[in-house]
Amino acid sequence: MNTAAQPARQGLSLKRQLLLWLLLPQLVLFLVGGALAYRIALSYAEKATDQSLTQSVRSLARQVKPIGSGLLIDFPRAAQDIIEQDPQDRVSYMVSSPPGRFLLGNAHLPAPAITVAANSRDALLYTTTIDGKPMRLALLELDYGDANTPQRLRVQVAKSLVMQQRLTRELVDDMLAPLLLLVALMSLLVYGGISRGLQPLTRLQAQLGNRDSPSLQALSPIELTQAPQEVHALAMAVNQLLSAVRRSLSQEKRFLNDAAHQLRTPLAGLISQTELALTESEPQALRARLNKVLSGAQRSAHLVHQLLSLARNEVEIKLQPLDVAELARDVAREWTPRAVKLNIDLGYDGADHLMVAGEALLLHEALSNLIDNALTYAGTGSEVTLSARPQQDQVVLEVQDNGVGLPAEDLPHVFDRFWRASELPGGCGLSLAIVKEIALRHGGSAVVLAALPHGLRVQLLLPRFEETPK
């Protein structure tokens, strides 16, 4: 089963995630607010019910007046009708003396489970069930009679919880309605704010979506103005990526153009020399043609090697601490046999232990190119010296020869690609360009100077690596 071809699972969009994480807490707060509102409303409704029952039981107790050892109950029918006028909000009352002996009202009101103190200023409030319905009761006990025949009067008033529940619902509705309106308004503001805040991402997507061709124009930096800092950071990261891709594409195109331009001539020469060789019948003439074909093939191979080296130098490299003094000595030893063959005195003069942050293969390539150039153009019997020395915060790698040198007007062009000051065969004008590119990749530079009394000095200047003391 080919899982690579399956599309990646997409998660929730950023907009939906933001809405979820912002609206979900609002919903939780709304539910918590509703529960708190219900508790607050129920508390106020209970207080209102208890105050009403307390006033009612005291008013009813004032209507019962002791006379001698008896009681005078002044409770007209009109007052009884007022108490019982609401059929939905049921109200019951009972007067008994001594407690338990029914005198007036509803005989089925239950007594409390605790003993009530007589003549208490506060009525006892409790909840019970009457005829299967919950009711709230207020009880007040009073002493009457003389010292010889003490009596106790109990007055009870019960009220159903219908009015309390209705008041609770009304209070909750009054509190939740504006709260719900505020939540809805806040949700709209959150949605609008998220939509507005994500507009820079939408514009970024539009800018990137319009670039459907891998051209240099399509890889130009994106621009975002008046966007949040996070979007600017994202745009900068994308621009860095586009810049890297643009640089890579530019290097690839430059390499292809250079290769096509430079390989066209030697390949055409090879073809023409091969065609002429096929027409030769004499061995000596054929051998001469084949020598020219070999020379042309060697020049083409050298050119391809130089072009590949130039392209390789333009790739990202990893710099590590490196002793270039030791590297320079090794390079000088490698080129000594060729120098001896050409009757050129190749020597090394330098300090020990010079550290730079570099890549050994590339620096080896640069020094080899410098020595190769010097051995090729300095001439037989000349002297070539490779040196390495510290110079302030830099390390100087220098190749000096005492050959014919170059005119002053040609010195600024020596690092140009495919520029040649000599007509000697074998060169392609890329060696010193490669040296300059390697120097730049190491954070340094390359310079060319005239040597006195004659000759040429090419220097590779690299930042010195400061070792951390242990």
Side-chain angles (χ1 to χ4, degrees), residues 282-467:
E282 295 185 6
Q284 286 297 108
L286 179 59
R287 184 178 182 85
R289 293 295 180 187
L290 291 179
N291 284 331
K292 291 182 179 180
V293 170
L294 176 60
S295 177
Q298 290 175 342
R299 286 197 302 270
S300 299
H302 178 67
L303 175 61
V304 170
H305 172 74
Q306 295 289 67
L307 287 172
L308 291 177
S309 298
L310 194 60
R312 183 179 59 192
N313 295 336
E314 294 175 344
V315 180
E316 291 294 334
I317 61 175
K318 184 177 181 180
L319 304 181
Q320 296 180 345
L322 176 67
D323 186 357
V324 291
E326 181 179 356
L327 177 66
R329 282 193 295 268
D330 292 340
V331 174
R333 281 194 294 265
E334 290 177 9
W335 285 89
T336 299
R338 184 184 171 189
V340 172
K341 185 177 180 181
L342 296 175
N343 193 24
I344 296 177
D345 182 12
L346 174 61
Y348 172 76
D349 178 22
D352 294 327
H353 196 64
L354 297 176
M355 300 299 296
V356 300
E359 210 283 330
L361 290 178
L362 293 183
L363 292 178
H364 185 283
E365 179 80 12
L367 293 177
S368 296
N369 283 353
L370 292 179
I371 294 178
D372 185 24
N373 266 19
L375 296 180
T376 301
Y377 301 110
T380 302
S382 60
E383 295 180 359
V384 176
T385 304
L386 171 61
S387 62
R389 63 180 184 275
Q391 179 176 292
Q392 297 179 353
D393 58 348
Q394 290 182 320
V395 171
V396 180
L397 299 175
E398 180 182 87
V399 174
Q400 178 177 344
D401 66 77
N402 60 354
V404 295
L406 289 174
E409 61 271 13
D410 288 342
L411 293 181
H413 303 290
V414 295
F415 295 113
D416 295 344
R417 293 188 177 194
F418 307 111
W419 184 88
R420 299 190 65 200
S422 173
E423 297 299 328
L424 292 177
C428 57
L430 285 176
S431 296
L432 294 183
I434 293 174
V435 172
K436 179 181 179 181
E437 187 67 29
I438 292 175
L440 293 177
R441 300 307 298 276
H442 285 76
S445 60
V447 296
V448 59
L449 303 169
L452 297 177
H454 53 81
L456 201 65
R457 297 165 53 198
V458 183
Q459 294 179 345
L460 193 63
L461 306 177
L462 302 176
R464 191 169 183 177
F465 180 78
E466 297 294 339
E467 296 182 275

